[in-house]
Amino acid sequence: MEMNQYLEVFIEESKEHLQSCNEQLLELEKNPDDIKIVNEIFRSAHTLKGMSATMGYEDLANLTHQMENVLDAIRNQKIKVNAEILDVVFLAVDDLEAMVQSIAEGGDGKRDVSIAVEKLMLIEKGESPALSKARAETAAAIAEPQELVKSTYDDFEWTVIQQSKEQGFETYELSIALRADCLLKAARVYMVFEVLEKSGEVIKATPSVEQLEEEQFDQEFSVTIVTQETPEVIRQKLLKVSEVDRIDVREVSMGDYISRETVKDEGTLQPEVEEKADRASNMPKEENKAPAAKQASNKTIRVNIERLDILMNLFEELVIDRGRLEQISKELNNQELHETVEHMSRISGDLQNIILNMRMVPIETVFNRFPRMVRQLARDLNKKINLEIVGADTELDRTVIDEIGDPLVHLIRNALDHGVETPEVRKANGKSEEGNVILKAYHSGNHVFIEIEDDGAGINKDKVIKKALKNGIITEQTASALTDKQAYELIFASGFSTADKISDVSGRGVGLDVVKNTIESLGGSVSIDSKIGQGSIFSIQLPLTLSIISVMLVEIEKEKYAIPLSSIIETAIIRKEDVLSAHNQKVIDFRGKVVPLLSLKEIFEVPSDNHEDEFISVVIVRKGEKLAGLVVDSFIGQQEVVLKSLGNYLTSVFAISGATILGDGQVALIVDCNALIK
Amino acid sequence: MSETAAANLKLIVFQLKEKEYAIPVNQVRSIEKVEHITRVPRTVGFVKGVINLRGVVTPIISLRSRFNLEEAEYNEHSRVIIAVLNDMEVGLIVDSANDVIDVAPESIEPPPEVIGSEEADFIKGVTKIEKRLFILIDLEKVLNPEELAAQDGKGLAG
């Protein structure tokens, strides 16, 4: 069968299931006795197993299967959850993630999973030193009787059988032999299954249903059915199917298997029975509400992101044409045209909102990998850390989401490593042993804020300054004039590390500067606030979207440039004689502040005829706290434009962050104010 | 497609000054008229700027300038050949582009030692059809992003 068309869905869903595994495992660690959580994990693992087996990824299926066994043992209380077991399960999930990743990257999804499988098997058999010997014996005894049954059942199937029994259903294994001269075996199989499904629930077929449908069997096959009807009735019904030669019915009893006395979670298996059989079921259903409620969600469809990108591109073309139409209608001054264009503008504005919203992804997709990471790091660092996530449903454009992950990882690592102290130190300082790290996201205006707050040691300003001096980042002179905030921001300078010791986690002096650069390249900014002994807050401000931005169009001679509104403080027209000179640098006094003037004409080497005006048009822009005045010839106005890249050929053009297409079809370059202000 | 056609090399022919040049048709996406070019500041001299090519911002280089020939005013014959190399799309300004020829690959000869001009570095070979001489240009060398970066850096320092 052609699997490629399903591959994408498979990868997406696998990732979702793995993520859910991760989340639930963390939950489980907090509430080791909560069987519901185990069930949730089991469900994810089970689906994953089914999917990967269908797709032919055997290693993936094997490992999930083994994991499932362990989970099953946990939920049947054969094994008690402890940190050691969870570590192994986490390890297995890591392996699974790696395999799914490899498949996503076009690999074959193969991986040596023997270590993880072995460990899981040990746990399953209860041979882990953490478990008592008595348990080991019972667990070991479990494995044997399975071989007595003709069809072998895995733990899951046994649970189903047992549950059915409790609800008054019997389980029979039917060996069905077709006549040797039977020609359409698959058709007969189909008819047999149809009869069986009217009588009960088929829970297993040997060979598998797929193989049976493809006629990959000789004359005989066996089917296990859960039913309330008597064996004889079923037998008679089946014999009515032509070309069926012989039917042996055998009751599958609990004697075949060690009975499990302590199954507490009745009914929770029901949804999985459906999954397993994947057929119309006439078994009575006992809904288990707790896990089901969590899965209930809005009606959604899965759309390939590429299609959304295409839609976005088409819409961008429309935005350009809209600009053009607006211009034409202004020139023609025709009332009817004017109204129509205005109406169209309004509608395309609504359309723009909808399309941008469609591309919005909750920041959850980035945040949800952090609990796992924090857990691991806390262990590595021997710290106790409680991570709190607030506002995970805050939505951001996918383009931003894709970029923001790495900087956040870095900042969280930093908070854990340098921020939160060890339990001993915390205790000595009268704090609770457990450190708190809060990851918070929220909307404000056209921006999204992400904050990473810790209640750790805070930033030692003097230490930072000393280090910066030592590393030659600042001079003695500037050091004395630094405000607290400016001092903290030194840790974003390249070649800076305040950690006394270099640790594996962070503190190599690379990274925070990369964080700052990445965020700024996204059109955002990052700031720090800190109180010694009480903790620090790293606050990131990001634009909601990167594809359509508001700009101020300016003209320099005959060239048009766009300056992002996000960098603009205000525009001003000043008299020529108000321009002052300081150290060969033209400056102006802007609301009591000395602001350097930069001539865009000079910077961009615009061909000019050197005429001089009495008034100068200035756009005041900022980068962080610093201001600069950009001298232009005239302001054209504010406009929403579509951000386009300059392509792969012209990379890293100085002070140009991209381009946009104006209403008249011409290209205008977008000024990168961050590059202009040092 | 017939076998001979498949074996033959299809070339787009364009003109710079008096000479005729050619690039393989599979490296050409389209041929456009010269429209408004937006200058991009602080780039190397032969990069003339960017154009709006049906919604895609496309860089434009002047082949005359690249080959160290004197610049000419654009007229109604001037064309922009949108060439594709790897995943880059770049427009080449040429004096005119009005022919497509088929040549047998074996008819392409290495460039003669003395070609008498600066563009020698960018030549892949020459081919002769009847009395016309076509110079095959090496797009990779013409575009050469490394040179672009190097010159870009120089421009910044100065």
Side-chain angles (χ1 to χ4, degrees), chain A residues 60-220:
Chain A
L60 203 57
N62 282 345
L63 185 54
T64 1
H65 177 71
Q66 209 52 53
M67 202 168 100
E68 217 180 277
N69 286 352
V70 170
L71 290 168
D72 194 47
I74 293 176
R75 85 175 164 184
N76 291 324
Q77 307 200 331
K78 292 268 186 291
I79 305 176
K80 230 179 141 43
V81 179
N82 62 25
E84 196 189 354
I85 290 177
L86 281 177
D87 275 347
V88 176
V89 179
F90 270 129
L91 182 81
V93 174
D94 278 345
D95 273 337
L96 293 174
E97 272 176 345
M99 285 188 274
V100 171
Q101 191 58 33
S102 132
I103 294 166
E105 282 160 7
D108 54 4
K110 287 206 189 307
R111 188 183 164 91
D112 183 11
V113 292
S114 55
I115 298 173
V117 168
E118 207 172 295
K119 281 191 183 162
L120 286 169
M121 276 175 127
L122 277 178
I123 292 177
E124 192 199 352
K125 286 184 190 147
E127 278 172 26
S128 164
L131 298 171
S132 70
K133 271 190 185 163
R135 277 221 177 80
E137 278 158 21
T138 21
I142 294 170
E144 286 160 22
Q146 282 189 346
E147 290 153 15
L148 302 173
V149 195
K150 201 170 173 193
S151 293
T152 49
Y153 302 97
D154 62 24
D155 286 2
F156 167 73
E157 285 152 354
W158 273 113
T159 326
V160 174
I161 293 169
Q162 200 209 350
Q163 297 250 318
S164 316
K165 186 133 188 138
E166 281 165 10
Q167 289 165 10
F169 289 80
E170 288 298 334
T171 310
Y172 302 105
E173 189 182 321
L174 310 164
S175 298
I176 301 158
L178 299 176
R179 256 185 246 156
D181 56 353
C182 172
L183 285 176
L184 294 165
K185 288 195 288 185
R188 297 302 164 213
V189 168
Y190 175 77
M191 291 166 79
V192 166
F193 270 86
E194 206 174 43
V195 170
L196 289 176
E197 272 157 16
K198 277 185 194 138
S199 323
E201 183 85 358
V202 176
I203 59 164
K204 182 158 186 97
T206 322
S208 73
V209 179
E210 289 82 11
Q211 284 169 319
L212 288 173
E213 279 169 358
E214 285 163 17
E215 301 197 356
Q216 288 175 13
F217 66 104
D218 289 334
Q219 249 62 50
E220 252 188 274

Side-chain angles (χ1 to χ4, degrees), chain A residues 475-631:
Chain A
T475 62
E476 295 271 359
Q477 213 175 359
T478 46
S480 54
L482 286 177
T483 64
D484 284 3
K485 270 205 165 184
Q486 282 168 331
Y488 300 148
E489 273 170 26
L490 286 174
I491 66 173
F492 284 123
S494 58
F496 190 92
S497 172
T498 47
D500 296 327
K501 278 179 288 182
I502 282 177
S503 71
D504 275 344
V505 181
S506 58
R508 285 185 203 282
V510 289
L512 280 186
D513 59 322
V514 178
V515 169
K516 192 179 161 99
N517 286 343
T518 314
I519 290 166
E520 280 177 357
S521 72
L522 290 172
S525 62
V526 54
S527 65
I528 311 172
D529 207 0
S530 178
K531 274 207 180 105
I532 273 282
Q534 291 181 22
S536 333
I537 302 179
F538 286 73
S539 179
I540 302 170
Q541 181 186 351
L542 287 169
L544 272 185
T545 174
L546 294 179
S547 32
I548 296 188
I549 58 169
S550 291
V551 296
M552 171 83 166
L553 278 180
V554 298
E555 204 163 26
I556 303 158
E557 295 296 332
K558 291 205 171 65
E559 298 185 356
K560 286 176 189 143
Y561 289 88
I563 302 172
L565 274 195
S566 58
S567 337
I568 298 180
I569 303 238
E570 64 177 281
T571 56
I573 292 174
I574 51 168
R575 284 173 170 281
K576 204 162 179 256
E577 51 264 35
D578 287 343
V579 177
L580 313 167
S581 211
H583 304 290
N584 279 333
Q585 167 75 58
K586 283 183 180 167
V587 296
I588 50 165
D589 181 359
F590 175 73
R591 301 193 196 285
K593 259 186 162 176
V594 176
V595 174
L597 277 189
L598 302 168
S599 162
L600 280 188
K601 200 181 286 183
E602 281 166 29
I603 292 168
F604 291 148
E605 297 160 347
V606 183
S608 103
D609 48 8
N610 270 329
H611 65 92
E612 298 247 320
D613 283 330
E614 196 180 331
F615 293 96
I616 303 174
S617 306
V618 181
V619 183
I620 312 284
V621 296
R622 67 178 176 92
K623 175 195 183 186
E625 308 271 289
K626 289 181 204 157
L627 300 182
L630 305 181
V631 179

Side-chain angles (χ1 to χ4, degrees), chain A residues 306-342:
Chain A
E306 260 173 49
R307 288 197 195 170
L308 281 188
D309 282 345
I310 293 170
L311 181 64
M312 187 69 187
N313 284 339
L314 287 175
F315 181 74
E316 286 171 357
E317 300 262 315
L318 208 59
V319 169
I320 293 160
D321 287 343
R322 175 181 73 188
R324 177 145 205 180
L325 270 179
E326 277 168 355
Q327 202 174 333
I328 293 172
S329 112
K330 222 179 268 170
E331 282 163 14
L332 290 181
N333 209 11
N334 175 315
Q335 187 58 28
E336 249 176 277
L337 178 66
H338 210 66
E339 277 169 17
T340 317
V341 168
E342 208 159 272

